[in-house]
Amino acid sequence: MDNSDAIVTPWEVRGEVDYKELIEKFGVDPLTPDIIERLRRHAGGLHVLLRRGMFFSHRELNEWIDSYEKGVKVILYTGRGPSGNTHLGHLIPWLFTKYLQDAFKCDLYFQITDDEKFLFNQELSTEQVAEYAKENLLDIIAVGFDPERTKIFTNLTYSKPLYNVAVRVAKHVTFSTAKATFGFSESSNIGMIFFPAMQAAPCFIHQYLNSEDAHVLIPCAIDQEPYWRISRDVAPKLGYRKPAGVYSKFIPGLGSGGKMSASLPDTAIFLSDTKEKAVKKVKNAFTGGQPTIREQKEKGGNPDVCVVYSYLYSLFDEDDKAVAETYASCKGGGLVCGECKERLARKVAEFLEQHRAKRERAKGYVEKFLVRE
Ligand code: TYM
């Protein structure tokens, strides 16, 4: 990014991200009240992530809804890179994807990029990424996607169809474009350079396999957007519609600054964390509170910089009145950080417990969701 030192790429998100600036920089559009209203009409309600602005930008979402209204086949596509256990941040786009699938009753293609994590991470073997993919798959299924309409695949076990589309994409992308878009260098291995074509492939896989027109929408966090720039450039050359996208902000880590990231495990909530571990992490979170309770009561806290408040606001407290009260009461000094942390910890623990139960049930559905060659 230009006038701050934040960095947002598919592999690294660092610093304080200015989302307004990112909209300009990436050439995407803000999610306006009109589009949000169109989604509300189709879904019969607004997902909390939409209502509270976690999803903030898009590319041609209006056109995608137009397609749906005109009877063109619409499809969703999202994914996961299996480099470790799933954390809450990964879940953000998946929860939203489920909301969209329920609203538009459409097929979902879910890509697990085991090849990416093997190629980009010197420490990971193919066996390790396969193990993570297996674990991540249960978290994905646990989100509750429609088993009749969802196809989940890993690149290394569904390579033939994907590779057939990827070579067609790759032929239209020069090294110079890949370098400019992804920052590859002379020392990047050649697998890394080809990989963007593999992530672009599911934008067109349905059309390729079924010889059928379709309009794809990709829900993800904004870090993945560079892939869709390439996919959109190539689409007309292959005779396909350009994929649309809807992008979220990053849920922050529990420390001060930066997105939730598996590389900072103490400030990330993993879906595999025990209740005790997750509660402890919440209790250690960065807040906008004053150093002492007395000062907090006198001066009030600052919910605008508080991670605990941001979790309640973005995801964990769907009650508009209750969050507004939390905000006002924190600012006015009527609420101390301990109480707020307690509330969030309870909600997180409950959420993890429910997720764990769904994950157990997911074990019986793997074959229903997973497509192989
Ligand atoms: P990965 O595994 O890094 O991330 C999976 C999804 O989670 C989003 N994400 C976050 N969202 C909110 N807050 C956070 N702190 C946070 N951290 C990660 C990512 O944007 C992503 O949507 N290369 C991809 C895998 C992939 C993919 C896709 C993702 C393949 N095809 C299509 C999205 C759409 C990756 O490594 O994602």
Side-chain angles (χ1 to χ4, degrees):
M1 288 171 60
D2 291 328
N3 60 22
S4 69
D5 47 12
I7 292 179
V8 178
T9 75
W11 303 288
E12 188 181 16
V13 177
R14 196 158 22 98
E16 273 316 306
V17 181
D18 178 335
Y19 289 101
K20 272 210 189 102
E21 197 177 282
L22 211 53
I23 283 180
E24 297 223 334
K25 170 93 177 159
F26 281 6
V28 295
D29 294 308
L31 266 186
T32 56
D34 312 1
I35 306 183
I36 294 177
E37 174 54 22
R38 279 188 92 182
L39 287 175
R40 191 194 60 73
R41 274 207 311 275
H42 284 291
L46 281 184
H47 197 283
V48 65
L49 292 168
L50 205 52
R51 239 172 7 165
R52 304 274 172 77
M54 263 308 266
F55 273 82
F56 75 109
S57 66
H58 74 102
R59 230 189 249 278
E60 293 184 357
L61 179 54
N62 263 321
E63 285 78 350
W64 187 81
I65 303 174
D66 288 345
S67 286
Y68 173 78
E69 289 174 353
K70 284 188 211 140
V72 174
K73 185 172 180 72
V74 294
I75 286 178
L76 293 164
Y77 160 40
T78 195
R80 162 75 176 136
S83 55
N85 289 325
T86 310
H87 62 58
L88 268 182
H90 302 130
L91 215 53
I92 299 279
W94 307 348
L95 294 171
F96 193 61
T97 303
K98 174 179 159 47
Y99 161 80
L100 292 173
Q101 185 180 49
D102 289 347
F104 294 92
K105 305 271 175 287
C106 54
D107 290 350
L108 162 65
Y109 285 77
F110 200 117
Q111 179 180 50
I112 301 180
T113 52
D114 42 6
D115 53 347
E116 174 193 10
K117 293 304 162 184
F118 171 68
L119 288 165
F120 284 74
N121 189 326
Q122 295 305 329
E123 267 95 68
L124 287 178
S125 65
T126 51
E127 289 77 16
Q128 280 163 320
V129 288
E131 197 46 48
Y132 285 135
K134 229 167 90 188
E135 286 300 309
N136 293 174
L137 176 63
L138 297 178
D139 292 316
I140 296 162
I141 296 174
V143 169
F145 297 116
D146 181 344
E148 303 305 326
R149 294 191 167 103
T150 304
K151 292 184 172 69
I152 307 176
F153 47 86
T154 88
N155 288 1
L156 291 173
T157 57
Y158 194 57
S159 11
K160 193 173 165 194
L162 288 169
Y163 187 66
N164 271 280
V165 181
V167 287
R168 287 164 167 81
V169 170
K171 197 168 182 177
H172 294 286
V173 184
T174 62
F175 179 44
S176 144
T177 300
K179 256 199 315 200
T181 313
F182 298 101
F184 295 134
S185 67
E186 293 294 311
S187 63
S188 305
N189 70 54
I190 57 175
M192 291 163 72
I193 296 158
F194 181 74
F195 172 74
M198 288 299 279
Q199 183 151 328
C203 297
F204 313 117
I205 192 95
H206 180 91
Q207 301 86 316
Y208 170 76
L209 290 175
N210 300 285
S211 307
E212 177 183 36
D213 180 24
H215 203 160
V216 170
L217 171 68
I218 309 163
C220 59
I222 188 76
D223 59 331
Q224 300 296 311
E225 206 276 336
Y227 288 107
W228 322 131
R229 253 174 269 159
I230 285 201
S231 311
R232 289 167 54 81
D233 282 351
V234 169
K237 297 180 184 151
L238 301 182
Y240 300 130
R241 286 175 197 264
K242 293 182 178 191
V246 59
Y247 310 123
S248 79
K249 297 177 184 170
F250 306 107
I251 197 169
L254 290 161
S256 69
K259 73 157 192 165
M260 183 174 287
S261 164
S263 56
L264 299 168
D266 290 341
T267 57
I269 295 177
F270 292 95
L271 302 182
S272 52
D273 280 347
T274 59
K275 183 177 158 189
E276 292 70 29
K277 201 166 184 177
V279 167
K280 193 165 161 213
K281 287 179 183 176
V282 172
K283 299 264 165 90
N284 288 331
F286 174 79
T287 71
Q290 301 291 347
T292 65
I293 292 186
R294 214 185 81 204
E295 278 177 274
Q296 175 83 2
K297 288 195 189 288
E298 276 168 23
K299 300 181 191 159
N302 184 0
D304 295 318
V305 301
C306 178
V307 169
V308 173
Y309 176 74
S310 89
Y311 277 39
L312 287 169
Y313 182 81
S314 318
L315 185 63
F316 283 103
D317 195 346
E318 296 201 23
D319 181 339
D320 291 342
K321 205 166 145 237
V323 274
E325 273 168 19
T326 303
Y327 186 89
S329 159
C330 168
K331 274 207 126 160
L335 187 63
V336 294
C337 297
E339 291 171 51
C340 230
K341 283 180 175 174
E342 196 67 54
R343 190 181 308 164
L344 178 64
R346 254 197 327 271
K347 285 183 186 280
V348 168
E350 197 182 308
F351 178 86
L352 290 180
E353 198 178 316
Q354 282 169 5
H355 181 80
R356 237 185 300 281
K358 289 185 202 157
R359 200 176 187 283
E360 263 321 291
R361 283 202 294 280
K363 291 181 181 162
Y365 288 88
V366 168
E367 291 310 314
K368 186 105 187 125
F369 281 96
L370 198 62
V371 290
R372 295 193 184 86
E373 265 170 63

